[in-house]
Amino acid sequence: MIIVNLDVMMARRKISSGELAEKIGITQANLSVLKTGKAKAVRFSTLEAICKALDCQPGDILEFKNNLISAAL
């Protein structure tokens, strides 16, 4: 399972959804889909723009959690 920590990074950088959406050139609605983890895919160009705007690495935003381990506990 991929966990999206975009809201955490935005809070650390003190940037609003509207400001980030404007900086990276997507709508607030599409940014919301990314933030909530409902996106089925993300373009590398969008991920790159987010990383540039937030001065972070892709791993700061996206995290992998193995469902098998969680289910076994």
Side-chain angles (χ1 to χ4, degrees):
M1 162 187 265
I2 300 295
I3 308 296
V4 180
N5 295 314
L6 183 55
D7 54 346
V8 173
M9 190 55 60
M10 288 173 60
R12 287 182 183 163
R13 300 297 191 251
K14 297 181 175 124
I15 188 170
S16 70
S17 293
E19 188 179 352
L20 182 59
E22 187 177 324
K23 281 187 175 189
I24 64 174
I26 66 172
T27 65
Q28 285 189 42
N30 284 341
L31 182 61
S32 178
V33 170
L34 288 173
K35 282 176 49 179
T36 58
K38 293 180 182 177
K40 298 292 182 195
V42 64
R43 292 176 186 245
F44 281 150
S45 59
T46 302
L47 184 58
E48 181 179 355
I50 291 170
C51 289
K52 283 181 182 177
L54 297 178
D55 189 28
C56 66
Q57 295 293 313
D60 296 328
I61 298 168
L62 302 174
E63 176 183 355
F64 172 74
K65 290 209 176 176
N66 192 336
N67 284 346
L68 296 176
I69 293 173
S70 299
L73 299 176

